[in-house]
Amino acid sequence: SLDYRSTLSRLTGLLVPRMADWCAVHLEEQSADDMPIMHVDPTKIEVLRAIYGRYPLAKDSPRGFPRVVRTGEPSFMSEVAPGYLATVVSDSEQLALVCAIGTVSRIIVPLAIQGNVFGALTLAYSVSDRRYGEGDLALASEVARRAAVAIDNAKLYELSQNERSRVEAATRAKDEFVAMVSHELRTPLNAILGWLRLRREGLL
């Protein structure tokens, strides 16, 4: 698709449940409400949205997708230790939301074009008994690389369409201005020419 939002929606739909129980795509300019998220249990999508929306990670966070975006290095946790989640939350409400998701294995890989990281892709297992291995990390990195190319192409197309619309609008405005000036000049010139013709013909 030439619409990157459709591309991301299709991507998350393909990854769950094939490669993850849930996944999320983090782009720098997107809010939690716009973030493409998919979960095998549709009722958990809003829980994930609440986690990302109410408890956003700072750009300089030493963990999670901000670190991956900042460093360009993937984050891989084959087994999320039971006590780990309690160490990364800020209050009991956040802990309850995180426990409701129940992540047991997780991969976060960067989305980058020519070394420029503009987002990250999170894949996680929660309700299944599957765990990620090194081969899954390599596959996730390749998926992210191809997704980044698709997103970049779609964004470039969108920019080109916006620029085309801008140029067309400027051209229309110029044509309207020229037409208006031509009309405004023609009206007094017709009167002047009429008087000159009368004078030349000696009718005055």
Side-chain angles (χ1 to χ4, degrees), residues 134 200 203:
E134 292 293 336
R200 187 180 298 119
L203 299 175

Side-chain angles (χ1 to χ4, degrees), residues 13-34:
L14 289 170
L15 292 173
V16 175
R18 292 172 179 84
M19 286 182 64
D21 291 335
W22 67 267
C23 73
V25 181
H26 317 274
L27 299 179
E28 290 181 324
E29 72 275 12
Q30 278 187 326
S31 66
D33 291 335
D34 298 326

Side-chain angles (χ1 to χ4, degrees), residues 105-117:
S105 188
R106 187 203 69 194
I107 291 174
I108 307 176
V109 286
L111 294 168
I113 290 291
Q114 297 180 348
N116 178 36
V117 182

Side-chain angles (χ1 to χ4, degrees), residues 117-153:
V117 182
F118 61 86
L121 170 65
T122 295
L123 303 172
Y125 287 131
S126 57
V127 297
S128 67
D129 58 357
R130 295 182 290 178
R131 300 292 185 274
Y132 290 113
E134 292 293 336
D136 296 306
L137 176 59
L139 180 58
S141 297
E142 178 61 17
V143 168
R145 185 188 70 79
R146 291 174 183 249
V149 171
I151 294 167
D152 189 56
N153 287 342

Side-chain angles (χ1 to χ4, degrees), residues 48-120:
L48 285 166
R49 237 176 254 292
I51 292 172
Y52 287 121
R54 295 181 204 168
Y55 302 95
L57 293 173
K59 288 186 176 182
D60 59 353
S61 174
R63 59 185 176 82
F65 71 88
R67 188 190 71 79
V68 172
V69 172
R70 194 173 61 254
T71 65
E73 296 295 324
S75 174
F76 174 59
M77 296 181 72
S78 178
E79 187 81 35
V80 177
Y84 171 77
L85 297 176
T87 67
V88 297
V89 298
S90 57
D91 58 36
S92 57
E93 182 186 359
Q94 185 182 12
L95 180 60
L97 291 171
V98 170
C99 288
I101 297 299
T103 301
V104 295
S105 188
R106 187 203 69 194
I107 291 174
I108 307 176
V109 286
L111 294 168
I113 290 291
Q114 297 180 348
N116 178 36
V117 182
F118 61 86

Side-chain angles (χ1 to χ4, degrees), residues 129-194:
D129 58 357
R130 295 182 290 178
R131 300 292 185 274
Y132 290 113
E134 292 293 336
D136 296 306
L137 176 59
L139 180 58
S141 297
E142 178 61 17
V143 168
R145 185 188 70 79
R146 291 174 183 249
V149 171
I151 294 167
D152 189 56
N153 287 342
K155 284 189 171 184
L156 287 174
Y157 176 77
E158 188 175 84
L159 285 172
S160 70
Q161 290 299 100
N162 290 341
E163 181 63 17
R164 179 180 176 181
S165 298
R166 189 189 67 78
V167 170
E168 288 176 350
T171 301
R172 281 195 303 272
K174 182 189 71 174
D175 291 343
E176 289 170 3
F177 174 74
V178 170
M180 179 188 70
V181 170
S182 175
H183 174 75
E184 293 300 324
L185 286 174
R186 192 182 302 116
T187 302
L189 283 176
N190 284 339
I192 293 171
L193 289 172

